[in-house]
Amino acid sequence: MKILLGVTGGIAAYKSLELTRLCIKAGHEVQVVMTAGAKEFIQPLSFQALSGHPVRDSLFDANQEAGMGHIELARWADQIVIAPASAETLAKLRLGRADDLLTTVCLATDRPIMLAPAMNRLMWSNQATQENVELLKQRGFTLLQPDSGEQACGEVGEGRMPEPQSIFEALQELQKRHFENQQAWSKLKELWTGKSLLVTAGPTYEDIDPVRFIGNRSSGKMGFSIADVAAKAGAKVTLIAGPVSLATPSGVERIDVRSAQQMFEVVQTHYAQADCFVGAAAVADFRPAQSQQQKIKKRAGLEQMTLELVKNPDIIAWVAQQDNKPFVVGFAAETENVVDYARSKLKSKHLDMICANQVGENQGFERDDNSLTVITANHQTTFPNSSKFQQAMALLQEAGQKF
Ligand code: C5P
C-alpha cells in the first residue's frame, strides 16, 4: 500500500525513521511530509534515504503536478499516518486549517488517517487536547493511545509516542478494516441502489394535556442510522420521525410526527411505495383516552388520580397484513428473554425479520452503540457490539439479501 507519513515537531520524530523502515521492509511505498517543526528535530535526508523519495514540505511546489502537491499527494496515498502528531497538529486538524502541506493534504483526502500523538503529559491531558481528540475520533480519525512512562522533558506520565512496531501493526489493521468497509459498502450499494425504504424512528409522545405527555427513552439514533446508511447506499429513503433532536441524514426525506396515531397515518400513505419497511420507532402501545384541552389542575385534597388509556394501532402489524406489503422488519427492545420475545413477535405480527436488542441499564436506548440479533423464520445472527451506524450497515445487508 501507499503510505503517506506525516512527521510533526516533537522529539519522537526520530522514532518515525524506524516506522518508515518497517513499512518499506513490509513492501509498502512511503512518502514523507514534514512540518517546519519536524525539521527542527530531524534531517529530511534521513527519511529520503529510507523511503527512496524526497521529503515533501512545501505547500507551493512548482515541481509538482500543476503546483498542487497537496492534491496529488492526497490522491496518491492509500492511507495517511501522522507520527508523531503534536498537540498543535491535533488542534489544526480539528479546526480544519490548511496552512501547511500536511494539514492541507489531510483536508483534501478521503483516505483513512491515523494519528500517533506525542507530547508532554500535561499537554496530553489538557482539556483542550482531549476535546480535540474526541472530536477527531468522531470524525473518523483513528487515534492511537499514547504510551505512559518517562518523557523527554524529564516528567513521567502519559504522552509518549507508541513504539514504531505497534504503530506499524495498527496501520496494517486499519488497512484491513478499511478494505472490509469498502467491500461492505459496495455490497450495500449493489443491494440497495434504486430501492425504496420507509423507516420509523424515535419515540412517540401521547399527550395527556397541553403540558404533559407519555413518552419513552428512545433517542431515534438506530432508525436515523438505518436511514443514513440506506441513503448512502443509494436507496430512496423516507424517515418518519417521532420527537427527537437529531439532524436529518443527507439525502433522506423526513416527516416529523408526534403521536402514534400521526405516525400510523403517515405510514398508511407511504407504505405502498416502499420495497422495505423498518419499524425502528418505539411506538407507545397506549394513549390517554382523552387529551385534555387545558392543563389538568391538582385539586386540594386529591391524593390519587386515574388516567384512562386506550390502545394505539400496531403500525407494523398493520403493514404486515396488507396485500401489497413491503418486506417488513421490526424491532424488539427487551430487558429480558430478548430472543424468545423477539421470536414470538416475529410470528404474532407476521414480520419478515425482527431485530432483537437488550435495553435497560446502560444498554440500547440513548446510546451510540448496540448489539442486534437479527431473526427470520429460519435464520438467526448476532452482530458484535459496535456503533449504531455499523449495526445499521450489517442489518441492511441482511435485509437487502432477503428481499
Ligand atoms: O410490541 P412491541 O412494541 O414490542 O413491538 C415492537 C415493534 O413493533 C417495533 O418494530 C415497533 O416499531 C413496532 N410497533 C408498531 N406500532 C405499535 C407498537 C409497536 O409499529 N403500536
Side-chain angles (χ1 to χ4, degrees):
M1 83 176 132
K2 291 175 181 147
I3 300 171
L4 188 128
L5 169 62
V7 184
T8 73
I11 185 69
Y14 77 92
K15 288 193 193 173
S16 295
L17 290 171
E18 173 64 2
L19 176 61
T20 309
R21 198 188 66 77
L22 287 170
C23 293
I24 296 284
K25 200 172 130 203
H28 303 305
E29 199 180 338
V30 179
Q31 286 210 63
V32 178
V33 172
M34 292 177 85
T35 61
K39 288 192 288 180
E40 297 291 330
F41 287 91
I42 195 157
Q43 286 294 324
L45 206 56
S46 312
F47 282 111
Q48 176 169 335
L50 283 169
S51 68
H53 288 286
V55 165
R56 309 283 292 270
D57 55 8
S58 171
L59 192 49
F60 308 102
D61 189 343
N63 292 326
Q64 298 309 320
E65 180 193 308
M68 290 191 290
H70 57 291
I71 303 294
E72 168 254 317
L73 275 173
R75 286 188 190 142
W76 173 85
D78 295 317
Q79 176 145 353
I80 296 175
V81 53
I82 304 183
S86 63
E88 169 70 3
T89 304
L90 300 181
K92 277 163 71 168
L93 290 174
R94 181 229 167 108
L95 288 173
R97 300 223 24 195
D99 62 350
D100 62 16
L101 181 60
L102 184 59
T103 47
T104 311
V105 169
C106 289
L107 213 53
T109 192
D110 56 1
R111 311 294 146 82
I113 304 178
M114 176 180 282
L115 305 172
M119 65 201 73
N120 162 276
R121 68 182 175 95
L122 290 174
M123 290 171 75
W124 171 248
S125 61
N126 190 294
Q127 199 179 341
T129 304
Q130 287 304 312
E131 282 178 19
N132 292 340
V133 164
E134 241 356 272
L135 203 95
L136 289 169
K137 278 188 193 164
Q138 283 171 24
R139 287 192 200 149
F141 286 75
T142 299
L143 273 113
L144 299 182
Q145 186 64 22
D147 283 349
S148 243
E150 204 171 311
Q151 300 202 292
C153 52
E155 296 185 13
V156 178
E158 199 171 53
R160 284 162 52 116
M161 188 171 94
E163 289 308 314
Q165 181 66 33
S166 44
I167 300 177
F168 173 69
E169 283 164 16
L171 262 178
Q172 307 263 73
E173 181 57 33
L174 179 60
Q175 184 61 20
K176 192 171 139 245
R177 265 191 286 133
H178 181 63
F179 180 68
E180 286 166 0
N181 202 34
Q182 276 182 324
Q183 282 191 318
W185 276 109
S186 58
K187 182 91 202 155
L188 278 170
K189 283 181 183 156
E190 213 175 279
L191 295 167
W192 284 93
T193 299
K195 294 280 190 300
S196 167
L197 174 72
L198 183 64
V199 195
T200 62
T204 63
Y205 284 179
E206 310 300 324
D207 289 336
I208 299 169
D209 66 19
V211 180
R212 301 147 178 131
F213 59 85
I214 299 173
N216 63 67
R217 291 173 57 181
S218 169
S219 64
K221 283 179 184 163
M222 191 68 236
F224 273 61
S225 293
I226 291 168
D228 192 9
V229 170
K232 287 190 165 78
K236 180 182 176 303
V237 184
T238 305
L239 170 65
I240 307 173
V244 293
S245 51
L246 292 174
T248 311
S250 96
V252 168
E253 188 202 344
R254 171 176 178 169
I255 302 170
D256 285 315
V257 296
R258 182 171 173 85
S259 65
Q261 191 58 41
Q262 287 170 357
M263 188 175 273
F264 186 38
E265 281 160 20
V266 180
V267 168
Q268 283 177 308
T269 55
H270 284 75
Y271 82 94
Q273 292 92 51
D275 297 302
C276 180
F277 173 73
V278 178
V283 186
D285 293 320
F286 292 89
R287 66 176 181 275
Q290 276 189 333
S291 174
Q292 301 298 325
Q293 295 300 311
Q294 304 300 331
K295 184 180 169 192
I296 301 168
K297 306 299 291 174
K298 53 177 179 293
R299 293 189 304 276
L302 183 71
E303 292 302 326
Q304 275 191 3
M305 70 185 291
T306 306
L307 186 64
E308 197 190 339
L309 301 176
V310 293
K311 202 152 181 359
N312 269 329
D314 192 315
I315 301 172
I316 205 163
W318 180 88
V319 173
Q321 275 162 8
Q322 304 310 301
D323 290 339
N324 54 347
K325 75 173 189 74
F327 185 84
V328 182
V329 183
F331 269 77
E334 302 289 351
T335 54
E336 57 176 358
N337 303 331
V338 182
V339 170
D340 288 347
Y341 283 143
R343 242 178 221 299
S344 63
K345 253 174 231 177
L346 179 79
K347 281 207 190 95
S348 65
K349 299 192 187 210
H350 304 286
L351 310 180
D352 297 302
M353 180 181 269
I354 194 156
C355 308
N357 65 337
Q358 180 103 29
V359 292
E361 196 68 11
N362 290 327
Q363 281 177 305
F365 287 153
E366 296 164 339
R367 289 181 60 103
D368 290 328
D369 61 344
N370 207 345
S371 169
L372 296 179
T373 298
V374 172
I375 304 164
T376 61
N378 46 26
H379 185 65
Q380 176 175 327
T381 173
T382 299
F383 311 138
N385 193 280
S386 64
S387 69
K388 286 184 175 169
F389 190 86
Q390 296 284 341
Q391 299 284 317
M393 285 178 70
L395 162 60
L396 288 175
Q397 179 149 338
E398 286 287 318
Q401 271 162 359
K402 290 279 178 322
F403 71 89

